[in-house]
Amino acid sequence: MKKCEPAAIAYLGPPGTYSEQAASFYLNWLKSNQEIEATLSPYPTIAKSLQAVATEQADIAVVPVENSIEGSVSMTMDSLWQLDSLRIKLALVLPINHALISCANQLENIKIVYSHPQALAQCQSWLAKFLPNANLIARNSTTEALQGLPQAPETAAISSQRAAQLYNLPILASRINDYPDNCTRFWVVAKESTENNGFNPTHTSLAFSVPANLPGALVKALEVFAHLGINLSRIESRPTKRSLGEYLFFIDAEAAVSSPLMNSALAELNSSTEVLKIFGSYSVLTVTD
């Protein structure tokens, strides 16, 4: 973190999002453990919150990376690949409980439901059962549409109970996510690569491209981890955006980047990959109220 007071923590806004909840948890941790003053700064998209750190408009960004139901958040992954100066400092796991927020008198009156695409997808079975005819419209965040609900009683939004309280809006239905153990993993991202918030790193996130789309190219890279006995908790591909059929591969390894095993793995990967990027080594915390 650059030495300025107070530090700015970027997150996907407006206020009331799950990103703000995760960022608030991290802010409280900073205050209680390091006595650092900080403020929360909302941004309209995940990409812009990460770009704010890269351009030093903010010191830290707290961004979602993976949901237990809908998988990875592509905007976070793509932005980290593009912004070489950013490093993951910590991972936060936040339980997610969606609520249907609306000024409608009853569910039957709702014609439109707004929310972030991930939230809409996490509630798709509930929506199909209770609001089969509603038009589902994606927004940049779960709270972007909340301020307009009082003026449009035929609309609703999927967001958190905390957001409903913050905007003083009624909840028509609670815990509407299709799976009760819904949770989202967030990354705390900064420009520095030396601090680890006082925790011993347990995971390392990286990504790479292979020299050519040939049989065995990916297997060769993954075998590096297999023969060293390093468990991979996540493997995912993303398009390189250069040509159809070309991919980047994102990996979470259960080992610290400074460990002898990871040092060996990275040395071997350098010879079997085209571009190799280390996003950071970090520990994982569960967010509590």
Side-chain angles (χ1 to χ4, degrees):
M1 192 186 309
K2 64 181 181 179
K3 299 186 181 300
C4 62
E5 294 293 345
I9 301 177
Y11 70 92
L12 173 63
T17 61
Y18 294 103
S19 292
E20 187 199 32
Q21 189 173 337
S24 296
F25 175 88
Y26 183 68
L27 171 60
N28 291 334
W29 184 90
L30 283 178
K31 290 180 176 179
S32 63
N33 290 274
Q34 300 182 13
E35 297 182 353
I36 294 175
E37 291 188 17
T39 58
L40 300 181
S41 300
Y43 283 81
T45 67
I46 294 169
K48 287 184 178 179
S49 65
L50 288 168
Q51 289 163 4
V53 178
T55 57
E56 299 188 353
Q57 298 175 54
D59 302 275
I60 298 165
V62 178
V63 293
V65 64
E66 183 182 22
N67 177 261
S68 59
I69 297 175
E70 284 301 305
S72 296
V73 180
S74 58
M75 187 179 290
T76 297
M77 297 164 63
D78 291 346
S79 296
L80 277 181
W81 177 264
Q82 296 162 6
L83 301 170
D84 289 332
S85 62
L86 302 185
R87 296 294 180 270
I88 304 164
K89 315 304 298 176
L90 189 66
L92 304 172
V93 178
L94 176 70
I96 304 295
N97 289 306
H98 292 306
L100 186 76
I101 302 171
S102 178
C103 295
N105 294 325
Q106 54 188 358
L107 289 176
E108 290 75 13
N109 295 337
I110 295 174
K111 298 179 181 178
I112 298 174
V113 179
Y114 298 103
S115 198
H116 188 275
Q118 283 258 345
L120 292 171
Q122 291 162 27
C123 303
Q124 56 187 309
S125 295
W126 189 94
L127 291 167
K129 180 179 180 180
F130 293 100
L131 293 172
N133 299 317
N135 188 17
L136 309 182
I137 300 180
R139 288 290 182 257
N140 285 326
S141 74
T142 55
T143 58
E144 187 178 75
L146 291 182
Q147 290 183 328
L149 295 186
Q151 291 77 42
E154 75 284 358
T155 65
I158 295 174
S159 192
S160 66
Q161 293 189 12
R162 177 178 175 273
Q165 295 170 354
L166 184 65
Y167 289 86
N168 194 27
L169 293 168
I171 294 174
L172 284 191
S174 299
R175 296 183 176 274
I176 66 171
N177 31 282
D178 296 333
Y179 298 90
D181 294 329
N182 188 14
C183 60
T184 295
R185 181 161 56 103
F186 291 80
W187 278 339
V188 177
V189 178
K191 290 194 75 172
E192 300 92 322
S193 59
T194 55
E195 301 175 13
N196 279 296
N197 298 314
F199 299 103
N200 292 322
T202 57
H203 291 68
T204 297
S205 291
L206 55 93
F208 59 84
S209 59
V210 293
N213 186 16
L214 298 174
L218 176 59
V219 171
K220 185 178 179 181
L222 296 181
E223 281 180 343
V224 170
F225 298 98
H227 75 73
L228 288 171
I230 299 174
N231 188 51
L232 303 181
S233 55
R234 183 173 68 111
I235 306 171
E236 183 149 354
S237 62
R238 291 285 302 150
T240 62
K241 308 186 191 308
R242 296 181 307 193
S243 176
L244 185 65
E246 288 190 7
Y247 294 94
L248 309 172
F249 299 96
F250 290 76
I251 286 175
D252 291 345
E254 294 183 354
V257 73
S258 59
S259 68
L261 286 178
M262 276 300 294
N263 280 328
S264 298
L266 294 176
E268 290 189 48
L269 276 178
N270 274 321
S271 64
S272 59
T273 58
E274 177 189 37
V275 178
L276 173 63
K277 296 187 179 184
I278 312 301
F279 297 138
S281 196
Y282 52 90
S283 56
V284 182
L285 294 181
T286 299
V287 176
T288 57
D289 292 334

